[in-house]
Coordinates of all heavy atoms in Angstrom, one line a residue:
M13 N 15.8 -6.4 3.5 CA 15.5 -5.0 3.7 C 16.7 -4.2 3.9 O 16.8 -3.1 3.4 CB 14.5 -4.8 4.9 CG 14.1 -3.4 5.2 SD 13.0 -2.8 3.9 CE 12.5 -1.3 4.6
E14 N 17.7 -4.7 4.7 CA 18.9 -3.9 4.9 C 19.6 -3.6 3.6 O 20.1 -2.4 3.4 CB 19.8 -4.5 5.9 CG 19.2 -4.5 7.3 CD 20.1 -5.0 8.4 OE1 21.4 -4.9 8.2 OE2 19.6 -5.4 9.4
A15 N 19.7 -4.5 2.7 CA 20.4 -4.3 1.5 C 19.7 -3.2 0.6 O 20.3 -2.4 0.0 CB 20.5 -5.6 0.7
A16 N 18.4 -3.3 0.6 CA 17.6 -2.3 -0.1 C 17.8 -0.9 0.5 O 17.9 0.1 -0.2 CB 16.1 -2.7 -0.1
L17 N 17.8 -0.8 1.8 CA 18.1 0.5 2.5 C 19.4 1.1 2.1 O 19.5 2.2 1.7 CB 18.0 0.3 4.0 CG 16.6 0.1 4.6 CD1 16.7 -0.3 6.0 CD2 15.7 1.3 4.4
W18 N 20.5 0.2 2.1 CA 21.8 0.7 1.8 C 21.8 1.2 0.3 O 22.4 2.2 0.0 CB 22.9 -0.3 2.0 CG 23.2 -0.4 3.4 CD1 22.8 -1.3 4.4 CD2 24.1 0.5 4.2 NE1 23.4 -1.1 5.6 CE2 24.2 0.0 5.5 CE3 24.9 1.6 3.8 CZ2 25.0 0.7 6.5 CZ3 25.6 2.2 4.8 CH2 25.7 1.7 6.1
Y19 N 21.2 0.4 -0.6 CA 21.2 0.8 -2.0 C 20.4 2.1 -2.2 O 20.9 3.0 -2.9 CB 20.6 -0.4 -2.8 CG 20.4 0.0 -4.3 CD1 21.5 0.1 -5.1 CD2 19.2 0.4 -4.8 CE1 21.4 0.5 -6.4 CE2 19.0 0.8 -6.1 CZ 20.1 0.8 -6.9 OH 20.0 1.3 -8.2
V20 N 19.2 2.1 -1.7 CA 18.3 3.3 -1.9 C 18.9 4.6 -1.3 O 18.7 5.7 -1.9 CB 16.9 3.0 -1.4 CG1 16.0 4.2 -1.4 CG2 16.2 1.9 -2.3
L21 N 19.5 4.4 -0.2 CA 20.0 5.6 0.6 C 21.4 6.0 0.3 O 21.8 7.1 0.6 CB 19.7 5.5 2.1 CG 18.3 5.2 2.5 CD1 18.2 5.0 4.0 CD2 17.4 6.4 2.0
T22 N 22.2 5.1 -0.2 CA 23.6 5.4 -0.5 C 24.1 5.0 -1.8 O 25.1 5.6 -2.3 CB 24.6 4.8 0.6 OG1 24.5 3.3 0.4 CG2 24.2 5.2 2.0
G23 N 23.5 4.1 -2.5 CA 24.0 3.5 -3.7 C 23.6 4.2 -5.0 O 24.0 3.8 -6.1
T24 N 22.8 5.3 -4.8 CA 22.3 6.0 -6.0 C 22.5 7.5 -5.8 O 22.7 8.0 -4.7 CB 20.9 5.7 -6.3 OG1 20.1 6.1 -5.2 CG2 20.6 4.2 -6.6
R25 N 22.5 8.3 -6.9 CA 22.7 9.7 -6.8 C 21.7 10.4 -5.9 O 22.0 11.4 -5.2 CB 22.6 10.3 -8.2 CG 23.9 10.3 -9.0 CD 23.8 11.0 -10.3 NE 22.6 11.8 -10.4 CZ 22.3 12.5 -11.5 NH1 23.1 12.6 -12.5 NH2 21.2 13.2 -11.6
G26 N 20.5 9.9 -5.8 CA 19.5 10.6 -5.0 C 19.4 10.2 -3.6 O 18.6 10.7 -2.8
G27 N 20.4 9.4 -3.2 CA 20.4 8.9 -1.8 C 20.3 10.0 -0.7 O 19.6 9.9 0.3
A28 N 21.1 11.1 -0.9 CA 21.2 12.2 0.1 C 19.8 12.8 0.2 O 19.4 13.1 1.4 CB 22.2 13.2 -0.4
N29 N 19.1 13.0 -0.9 CA 17.7 13.6 -0.7 C 16.8 12.6 -0.1 O 15.9 13.0 0.7 CB 17.2 14.1 -2.1 CG 17.7 15.4 -2.5 OD1 18.1 16.2 -1.7 ND2 17.9 15.6 -3.8
R30 N 16.9 11.3 -0.4 CA 16.1 10.4 0.3 C 16.3 10.3 1.8 O 15.4 10.2 2.6 CB 16.3 9.0 -0.4 CG 15.7 9.0 -1.8 CD 15.8 7.6 -2.4 NE 15.8 7.8 -3.9 CZ 16.7 7.5 -4.7 NH1 17.8 6.9 -4.3 NH2 16.6 7.8 -6.0
V31 N 17.5 10.5 2.2 CA 17.8 10.5 3.6 C 17.2 11.8 4.2 O 16.6 11.7 5.3 CB 19.4 10.6 3.9 CG1 19.7 11.0 5.3 CG2 20.0 9.2 3.5
R32 N 17.2 12.9 3.5 CA 16.6 14.1 4.0 C 15.1 13.9 4.2 O 14.5 14.3 5.2 CB 16.9 15.3 3.1 CG 18.3 15.7 3.1 CD 18.6 16.9 2.2 NE 17.8 18.0 2.6 CZ 17.4 19.0 1.8 NH1 17.7 19.0 0.5 NH2 16.8 20.1 2.3
L33 N 14.5 13.2 3.2 CA 13.0 13.0 3.3 C 12.7 12.1 4.4 O 11.7 12.3 5.2 CB 12.5 12.3 2.0 CG 12.5 13.2 0.7 CD1 12.2 12.3 -0.5 CD2 11.4 14.2 0.9
L34 N 13.5 11.0 4.6 CA 13.2 10.1 5.8 C 13.4 10.8 7.1 O 12.6 10.6 8.0 CB 14.2 8.9 5.7 CG 13.7 7.7 4.9 CD1 14.8 6.6 4.9 CD2 12.4 7.2 5.5
R35 N 14.4 11.7 7.2 CA 14.5 12.5 8.5 C 13.3 13.3 8.7 O 12.8 13.4 9.8 CB 15.7 13.4 8.4 CG 17.0 12.7 8.7 CD 18.1 13.8 8.9 NE 19.3 13.1 9.3 CZ 20.5 13.1 8.6 NH1 20.5 13.7 7.5 NH2 21.5 12.5 9.1
A36 N 12.8 14.0 7.7 CA 11.6 14.8 7.8 C 10.4 14.0 8.2 O 9.6 14.4 9.1 CB 11.4 15.6 6.6
L37 N 10.2 12.8 7.6 CA 9.1 12.0 7.9 C 9.2 11.3 9.2 O 8.2 11.0 9.8 CB 8.9 10.9 6.8 CG 8.6 11.5 5.4 CD1 8.6 10.4 4.4 CD2 7.2 12.2 5.4
D38 N 10.4 11.2 9.7 CA 10.6 10.6 11.1 C 10.1 11.7 12.1 O 9.5 11.3 13.1 CB 12.1 10.3 11.3 CG 12.3 9.7 12.7 OD1 11.5 8.9 13.1 OD2 13.3 10.0 13.3
E39 N 10.3 12.9 11.8 CA 9.8 14.0 12.7 C 8.3 14.0 12.8 O 7.7 14.1 13.8 CB 10.3 15.4 12.2 CG 11.8 15.6 12.4 CD 12.2 16.9 11.8 OE1 11.3 17.7 11.4 OE2 13.4 17.1 11.6
R40 N 7.7 13.9 11.6 CA 6.2 13.9 11.5 C 5.8 13.6 10.0 O 6.5 14.0 9.1 CB 5.6 15.2 11.9 CG 5.9 16.4 11.1 CD 5.1 17.7 11.6 NE 5.6 18.8 10.9 CZ 5.2 19.2 9.7 NH1 4.2 18.6 9.1 NH2 5.7 20.3 9.1
P41 N 4.7 12.9 9.9 CA 4.2 12.6 8.5 C 3.9 13.9 7.8 O 3.4 14.9 8.4 CB 3.0 11.8 8.7 CG 3.1 11.2 10.1 CD 3.9 12.2 10.9
R42 N 4.1 13.9 6.5 CA 3.8 15.1 5.7 C 3.4 14.7 4.3 O 3.6 13.6 3.9 CB 5.0 16.0 5.6 CG 5.6 16.4 6.9 CD 7.0 17.1 6.6 NE 7.8 16.8 7.8 CZ 8.6 17.7 8.3 NH1 8.8 18.9 7.7 NH2 9.4 17.4 9.3
N43 N 2.8 15.7 3.6 CA 2.5 15.4 2.2 C 3.6 15.9 1.3 O 4.6 16.5 1.8 CB 1.1 16.0 1.7 CG 1.1 17.5 1.8 OD1 2.1 18.2 1.5 ND2 -0.1 18.1 2.1
A44 N 3.6 15.6 0.0 CA 4.7 15.9 -0.9 C 5.0 17.4 -0.9 O 6.1 17.9 -1.0 CB 4.5 15.3 -2.2
N45 N 3.9 18.2 -0.9 CA 4.1 19.6 -1.0 C 4.7 20.2 0.2 O 5.6 21.0 0.1 CB 2.7 20.3 -1.2 CG 2.8 21.8 -1.6 OD1 3.6 22.1 -2.5 ND2 2.1 22.6 -0.8
Q46 N 4.3 19.7 1.4 CA 5.0 20.1 2.6 C 6.4 19.8 2.7 O 7.3 20.5 3.1 CB 4.3 19.5 3.8 CG 2.9 20.0 4.1 CD 2.1 19.2 5.1 OE1 2.2 17.9 5.1 NE2 1.2 19.8 5.8
L47 N 6.8 18.5 2.2 CA 8.2 18.1 2.1 C 9.0 19.0 1.2 O 10.1 19.4 1.6 CB 8.2 16.7 1.7 CG 7.8 15.6 2.7 CD1 7.6 14.3 2.0 CD2 8.9 15.5 3.8
A48 N 8.4 19.3 0.1 CA 9.1 20.2 -0.9 C 9.4 21.6 -0.3 O 10.5 22.1 -0.4 CB 8.3 20.3 -2.2
E49 N 8.4 22.1 0.4 CA 8.6 23.4 1.0 C 9.6 23.4 2.2 O 10.5 24.2 2.3 CB 7.3 24.0 1.5 CG 6.3 24.4 0.4 CD 5.0 24.9 1.0 OE1 4.9 25.2 2.2 OE2 4.1 25.1 0.2
D50 N 9.4 22.4 3.1 CA 10.3 22.3 4.2 C 11.7 22.0 3.9 O 12.6 22.5 4.6 CB 9.7 21.2 5.2 CG 8.4 21.5 5.8 OD1 8.0 22.7 5.7 OD2 7.8 20.6 6.4
L51 N 11.9 21.2 2.8 CA 13.3 20.8 2.5 C 13.9 21.6 1.3 O 15.0 21.4 0.9 CB 13.3 19.3 2.1 CG 12.9 18.4 3.2 CD1 12.9 16.9 2.7 CD2 13.8 18.5 4.4
E52 N 13.1 22.6 0.8 CA 13.5 23.5 -0.3 C 13.9 22.7 -1.5 O 15.0 22.9 -2.1 CB 14.5 24.5 0.2 CG 14.1 25.4 1.3 CD 15.1 26.4 1.8 OE1 16.3 26.3 1.3 OE2 14.8 27.2 2.6
L53 N 13.1 21.7 -1.9 CA 13.3 20.9 -3.0 C 12.1 21.1 -4.0 O 11.0 21.4 -3.6 CB 13.3 19.4 -2.7 CG 14.5 19.0 -1.8 CD1 14.3 17.5 -1.3 CD2 15.8 19.1 -2.6
D54 N 12.3 20.8 -5.3 CA 11.3 20.9 -6.3 C 10.3 19.8 -6.0 O 10.6 18.7 -5.6 CB 11.9 20.7 -7.6 CG 10.9 20.8 -8.7 OD1 10.4 21.9 -9.0 OD2 10.5 19.7 -9.3
Y55 N 9.0 20.1 -6.2 CA 7.9 19.1 -5.9 C 8.1 17.9 -6.7 O 7.9 16.8 -6.1 CB 6.6 19.8 -6.2 CG 5.4 18.9 -6.1 CD1 4.8 18.6 -4.8 CD2 4.8 18.2 -7.2 CE1 3.8 17.8 -4.7 CE2 3.8 17.4 -7.1 CZ 3.2 17.1 -5.8 OH 2.2 16.3 -5.7
K56 N 8.5 18.0 -8.0 CA 8.7 16.8 -8.8 C 9.8 15.9 -8.3 O 9.8 14.7 -8.4 CB 8.9 17.1 -10.3 CG 7.6 17.7 -10.9 CD 7.9 18.0 -12.4 CE 6.6 18.5 -13.0 NZ 6.8 18.8 -14.4
T57 N 10.8 16.6 -7.8 CA 12.0 15.8 -7.2 C 11.5 15.0 -6.0 O 11.8 13.9 -5.8 CB 13.1 16.8 -6.8 OG1 13.5 17.5 -8.0 CG2 14.3 16.1 -6.1
V58 N 10.7 15.7 -5.1 CA 10.2 15.0 -3.9 C 9.4 13.8 -4.3 O 9.5 12.7 -3.8 CB 9.4 16.0 -3.0 CG1 8.6 15.3 -2.0 CG2 10.4 17.0 -2.4
R59 N 8.5 14.0 -5.3 CA 7.6 12.9 -5.7 C 8.4 11.8 -6.3 O 8.1 10.6 -6.0 CB 6.6 13.4 -6.8 CG 5.5 14.3 -6.3 CD 4.7 13.6 -5.2 NE 4.3 12.3 -5.6 CZ 3.1 11.8 -5.7 NH1 2.1 12.6 -5.5 NH2 2.9 10.6 -6.1
H60 N 9.4 12.1 -7.1 CA 10.3 11.0 -7.6 C 10.9 10.2 -6.5 O 10.9 8.9 -6.5 CB 11.4 11.6 -8.5 CG 12.5 10.6 -8.8 ND1 12.3 9.5 -9.7 CD2 13.7 10.4 -8.3 CE1 13.4 8.8 -9.7 NE2 14.3 9.3 -8.9
H61 N 11.5 10.9 -5.5 CA 12.2 10.2 -4.4 C 11.2 9.4 -3.5 O 11.5 8.3 -3.0 CB 13.0 11.1 -3.6 CG 14.2 11.6 -4.3 ND1 15.2 10.8 -4.9 CD2 14.6 12.9 -4.6 CE1 16.1 11.5 -5.5 NE2 15.8 12.8 -5.4
L62 N 10.0 10.0 -3.3 CA 9.0 9.3 -2.6 C 8.6 8.0 -3.3 O 8.4 6.9 -2.7 CB 7.7 10.1 -2.3 CG 7.9 11.2 -1.3 CD1 6.7 12.2 -1.4 CD2 8.1 10.7 0.1
D63 N 8.4 8.1 -4.6 CA 8.1 6.9 -5.4 C 9.2 5.8 -5.2 O 8.9 4.6 -5.1 CB 7.9 7.2 -6.9 CG 6.7 8.0 -7.2 OD1 5.7 8.0 -6.3 OD2 6.6 8.6 -8.2
V64 N 10.4 6.2 -5.3 CA 11.5 5.2 -5.1 C 11.4 4.6 -3.7 O 11.6 3.4 -3.5 CB 12.9 5.9 -5.3 CG1 14.0 4.9 -4.9 CG2 13.1 6.3 -6.7
L65 N 11.2 5.4 -2.7 CA 11.1 4.9 -1.3 C 9.9 4.0 -1.2 O 10.0 2.9 -0.5 CB 11.0 6.1 -0.3 CG 12.3 6.9 -0.2 CD1 12.1 8.1 0.6 CD2 13.4 6.0 0.5
I66 N 8.8 4.3 -1.8 CA 7.6 3.5 -1.8 C 7.9 2.1 -2.5 O 7.5 1.1 -1.9 CB 6.4 4.2 -2.4 CG1 5.9 5.3 -1.5 CG2 5.2 3.2 -2.7 CD1 4.9 6.2 -2.1
D67 N 8.5 2.2 -3.6 CA 8.8 1.0 -4.4 C 9.7 0.0 -3.7 O 9.6 -1.2 -3.9 CB 9.4 1.3 -5.8 CG 8.5 2.0 -6.7 OD1 7.2 2.0 -6.5 OD2 8.9 2.6 -7.7
N68 N 10.5 0.6 -2.7 CA 11.4 -0.3 -2.0 C 10.9 -0.6 -0.6 O 11.6 -1.1 0.3 CB 12.8 0.4 -1.9 CG 13.5 0.2 -3.2 OD1 14.1 -0.8 -3.5 ND2 13.4 1.3 -4.1
G69 N 9.6 -0.2 -0.3 CA 9.0 -0.6 1.0 C 9.5 0.2 2.2 O 9.3 -0.2 3.3
V70 N 10.1 1.4 1.9 CA 10.6 2.2 3.0 C 9.6 3.2 3.5 O 9.5 3.6 4.7 CB 11.9 3.0 2.6 CG1 12.5 3.8 3.7 CG2 12.9 2.0 2.0
V71 N 8.7 3.7 2.6 CA 7.7 4.7 2.9 C 6.4 4.3 2.4 O 6.3 3.5 1.4 CB 8.1 6.1 2.3 CG1 7.0 7.1 2.3 CG2 9.3 6.7 3.0
E72 N 5.3 4.7 3.0 CA 4.0 4.4 2.6 C 3.1 5.6 2.6 O 3.5 6.6 3.3 CB 3.3 3.3 3.4 CG 3.1 3.6 4.8 CD 2.6 2.4 5.7 OE1 2.4 1.4 5.1 OE2 2.4 2.6 6.9
S73 N 2.1 5.7 1.9 CA 1.2 6.8 1.8 C -0.2 6.5 2.4 O -0.6 5.3 2.4 CB 1.0 7.4 0.4 OG 0.3 6.4 -0.4
S74 N -0.8 7.5 2.9 CA -2.1 7.4 3.5 C -3.0 8.6 3.0 O -2.5 9.7 3.1 CB -2.0 7.5 5.0 OG -3.3 7.5 5.6
G75 N -4.1 8.2 2.4 CA -4.9 9.3 1.8 C -4.9 9.3 0.3 O -4.3 8.5 -0.3
D76 N -5.6 10.3 -0.3 CA -5.7 10.3 -1.7 C -4.4 10.8 -2.3 O -3.5 11.3 -1.6 CB -6.9 11.2 -2.2 CG -6.7 12.7 -1.8 OD1 -5.6 13.1 -1.4 OD2 -7.7 13.4 -1.9
D77 N -4.3 10.7 -3.6 CA -3.0 10.9 -4.3 C -2.4 12.2 -4.1 O -1.2 12.3 -3.6 CB -3.2 10.6 -5.8 CG -1.8 10.5 -6.5 OD1 -0.9 9.9 -5.9 OD2 -1.7 10.9 -7.7
Y78 N -3.1 13.3 -4.3 CA -2.5 14.7 -4.2 C -2.2 15.0 -2.7 O -1.2 15.5 -2.4 CB -3.4 15.7 -4.8 CG -2.8 17.1 -4.7 CD1 -1.7 17.5 -5.5 CD2 -3.3 18.0 -3.8 CE1 -1.2 18.7 -5.3 CE2 -2.7 19.3 -3.6 CZ -1.7 19.6 -4.4 OH -1.1 20.9 -4.2
G79 N -3.2 14.8 -1.9 CA -3.0 15.2 -0.5 C -2.5 14.1 0.4 O -2.5 14.2 1.6
A80 N -2.0 13.0 -0.2 CA -1.5 11.8 0.6 C -0.4 12.2 1.6 O 0.5 13.1 1.3 CB -1.0 10.8 -0.4
I81 N -0.5 11.7 2.7 CA 0.5 11.9 3.8 C 1.4 10.7 3.7 O 1.0 9.5 3.6 CB -0.2 11.9 5.2 CG1 -1.2 13.1 5.2 CG2 0.8 12.0 6.3 CD1 -0.5 14.5 5.1
Y82 N 2.7 10.9 3.8 CA 3.7 9.9 3.8 C 4.4 9.7 5.1 O 4.6 10.6 5.9 CB 4.8 10.3 2.7 CG 4.3 10.4 1.4 CD1 3.7 11.6 0.9 CD2 4.2 9.3 0.5 CE1 3.2 11.7 -0.4 CE2 3.6 9.4 -0.7 CZ 3.1 10.6 -1.2 OH 2.6 10.7 -2.4
L83 N 4.7 8.4 5.4 CA 5.3 8.0 6.6 C 6.1 6.8 6.4 O 5.9 6.0 5.5 CB 4.3 7.9 7.7 CG 3.2 6.8 7.5 CD1 2.7 6.3 8.9 CD2 2.1 7.3 6.7
P84 N 7.1 6.5 7.3 CA 7.9 5.3 7.2 C 7.0 4.1 7.4 O 6.1 4.1 8.2 CB 8.9 5.4 8.3 CG 9.0 6.9 8.6 CD 7.7 7.4 8.3
T85 N 7.3 3.0 6.7 CA 6.5 1.8 6.8 C 6.9 1.1 8.2 O 8.0 1.3 8.7 CB 6.8 0.8 5.7 OG1 8.2 0.4 5.7 CG2 6.5 1.4 4.3
P86 N 6.0 0.2 8.6 CA 6.4 -0.5 9.8 C 7.7 -1.4 9.6 O 8.5 -1.5 10.5 CB 5.2 -1.5 10.1 CG 4.0 -0.7 9.4 CD 4.6 0.0 8.3
R87 N 7.8 -1.9 8.4 CA 9.0 -2.6 8.1 C 10.3 -1.8 8.2 O 11.3 -2.2 8.7 CB 8.9 -3.2 6.7 CG 10.0 -4.2 6.4 CD 9.7 -4.9 5.1 NE 10.8 -5.7 4.7 CZ 11.2 -6.0 3.5 NH1 10.5 -5.4 2.5 NH2 12.2 -6.7 3.2
A88 N 10.2 -0.5 7.7 CA 11.3 0.4 7.8 C 11.6 0.7 9.3 O 12.7 0.8 9.7 CB 11.0 1.7 7.1
R89 N 10.5 0.9 10.1 CA 10.7 1.1 11.5 C 11.4 0.0 12.2 O 12.2 0.2 13.1 CB 9.3 1.4 12.2 CG 8.7 2.7 11.8 CD 9.4 3.8 12.6 NE 8.8 5.1 12.2 CZ 9.4 6.2 12.4 NH1 10.6 6.3 12.8 NH2 8.8 7.3 12.1
Q90 N 11.2 -1.3 11.8 CA 11.8 -2.4 12.3 C 13.3 -2.4 12.0 O 14.1 -3.0 12.8 CB 11.3 -3.7 11.8 CG 9.9 -4.0 12.2 CD 9.3 -5.3 11.5 OE1 9.8 -5.7 10.5 NE2 8.2 -5.8 12.1
H91 N 13.7 -1.7 11.0 CA 15.1 -1.6 10.6 C 15.7 -0.2 10.8 O 16.6 0.2 10.1 CB 15.3 -2.0 9.1 CG 15.0 -3.4 8.9 ND1 15.9 -4.5 9.0 CD2 13.8 -4.0 8.5 CE1 15.3 -5.6 8.8 NE2 14.0 -5.4 8.5
W92 N 15.0 0.6 11.7 CA 15.4 2.0 11.9 C 16.8 2.1 12.4 O 17.5 3.1 12.0 CB 14.4 2.7 12.8 CG 14.4 4.1 12.6 CD1 15.0 5.1 13.4 CD2 13.9 4.9 11.5 NE1 14.9 6.3 12.8 CE2 14.2 6.2 11.7 CE3 13.2 4.5 10.4 CZ2 13.8 7.2 10.8 CZ3 12.8 5.4 9.5 CH2 13.1 6.8 9.7
E93 N 17.3 1.2 13.1 CA 18.7 1.3 13.5 C 19.7 1.3 12.3 O 20.6 2.1 12.3 CB 19.1 0.1 14.4 CG 20.4 0.2 15.1 CD 20.6 -0.9 16.1 OE1 19.7 -1.1 17.0 OE2 21.7 -1.5 16.1
T94 N 19.4 0.5 11.3 CA 20.2 0.6 10.1 C 20.0 1.9 9.4 O 21.0 2.5 8.9 CB 19.7 -0.6 9.1 OG1 19.9 -1.8 9.8 CG2 20.5 -0.5 7.8
I95 N 18.8 2.4 9.3 CA 18.6 3.7 8.7 C 19.4 4.8 9.4 O 20.0 5.7 8.8 CB 17.1 4.1 8.7 CG1 16.4 3.1 7.7 CG2 16.8 5.5 8.3 CD1 14.8 3.2 7.8
E96 N 19.4 4.8 10.8 CA 20.1 5.7 11.5 C 21.6 5.6 11.3 O 22.3 6.6 11.2 CB 19.9 5.6 13.0 CG 18.5 6.1 13.4 CD 18.1 6.0 14.9 OE1 18.9 5.3 15.6 OE2 17.2 6.6 15.3
T97 N 22.1 4.4 11.1 CA 23.6 4.2 10.8 C 23.9 4.8 9.4 O 24.9 5.5 9.3 CB 23.9 2.7 10.8 OG1 23.6 2.1 12.1 CG2 25.3 2.4 10.4
I98 N 23.0 4.6 8.5 CA 23.2 5.2 7.1 C 23.1 6.7 7.2 O 24.0 7.4 6.6 CB 22.1 4.6 6.2 CG1 22.3 3.1 5.9 CG2 22.1 5.4 4.9 CD1 21.1 2.5 5.2
M99 N 22.2 7.2 8.0 CA 22.1 8.7 8.1 C 23.4 9.3 8.7 O 23.9 10.3 8.3 CB 20.9 9.1 9.0 CG 19.6 8.9 8.3 SD 18.2 9.3 9.5 CE 16.8 9.0 8.5
E100 N 23.9 8.6 9.7 CA 25.2 9.0 10.4 C 26.3 9.0 9.4 O 27.1 10.0 9.3 CB 25.5 8.2 11.6 CG 24.6 8.4 12.8 CD 24.9 7.4 13.9 OE1 25.9 6.6 13.8 OE2 24.0 7.3 14.8
Q101 N 26.4 8.0 8.5 CA 27.5 7.9 7.6 C 27.3 9.0 6.5 O 28.3 9.5 6.0 CB 27.5 6.5 6.9 CG 28.1 5.5 7.9 CD 28.4 4.2 7.1 OE1 28.4 4.1 5.9 NE2 28.8 3.2 7.9
T102 N 26.1 9.3 6.1 CA 25.9 10.3 5.1 C 26.2 11.7 5.7 O 26.6 12.6 4.9 CB 24.5 10.3 4.5 OG1 23.5 10.5 5.5 CG2 24.2 9.0 3.8
D103 N 26.1 11.9 7.0 CA 26.4 13.1 7.6 C 27.9 13.4 7.6 O 28.4 14.5 7.5 CB 26.0 13.2 9.1 CG 24.5 13.3 9.2 OD1 23.8 13.7 8.3 OD2 24.0 13.0 10.3
D104 N 28.7 12.3 7.6 CA 30.2 12.3 7.6 C 30.8 12.7 6.2 O 31.9 13.1 6.2 CB 30.8 11.0 8.1 CG 30.4 10.8 9.6 OD1 30.1 11.7 10.3 OD2 30.5 9.6 10.0
T105 N 30.0 12.5 5.2 CA 30.5 12.7 3.8 C 30.3 14.1 3.4 O 29.6 14.9 4.0 CB 29.9 11.8 2.8 OG1 28.4 12.0 2.8 CG2 30.2 10.4 3.1

């Protein structure tokens, strides 16, 4: 899981936006539209990054497709210390 986190959050161009999404979801679960509005990102961009996070087991959804609420997976919570380390490093760049 740790290798996947480093890759998804730092090893690709979209890592910075994925970190922003995770920070927002750590505060409270939200749907894609709320994330787009709160982070001032395009809805399609948010959906793309959520899909990447879901595919890598970092985020999960609850509810129907359009109104689905997203939140970190229990597995991501188990590795939250690594996520926080990654977030701190991305803050420094």
Side-chain angles (χ1 to χ4, degrees):
M13 178 69 169
E14 289 190 24
L17 288 170
W18 281 100
Y19 174 74
V20 168
L21 300 177
T22 66
T24 60
R25 275 186 7 179
N29 279 331
R30 291 184 200 119
V31 166
R32 292 179 65 206
L33 289 170
L34 271 178
R35 277 194 174 116
L37 294 174
D38 183 39
E39 291 174 10
R40 66 178 169 84
R42 304 169 209 219
N43 66 33
N45 190 51
Q46 291 167 324
L47 286 164
E49 287 179 13
D50 293 347
L51 300 176
E52 297 180 359
L53 293 171
D54 183 74
Y55 176 81
K56 288 181 180 181
T57 299
V58 168
R59 287 303 314 241
H60 167 73
H61 291 304
L62 287 171
D63 288 342
V64 171
L65 291 169
I66 288 169
D67 290 347
N68 286 277
V70 182
V71 168
E72 63 187 357
S73 65
S74 175
D76 65 13
D77 194 35
Y78 179 75
I81 299 295
Y82 296 89
L83 60 156
T85 63
R87 188 169 174 216
R89 289 284 182 202
Q90 290 175 344
H91 296 274
W92 202 256
E93 190 172 309
T94 300
I95 292 171
E96 287 180 346
T97 298
I98 294 168
M99 288 178 178
E100 288 172 12
Q101 287 195 5
T102 59
D103 287 343
D104 294 340
T105 58

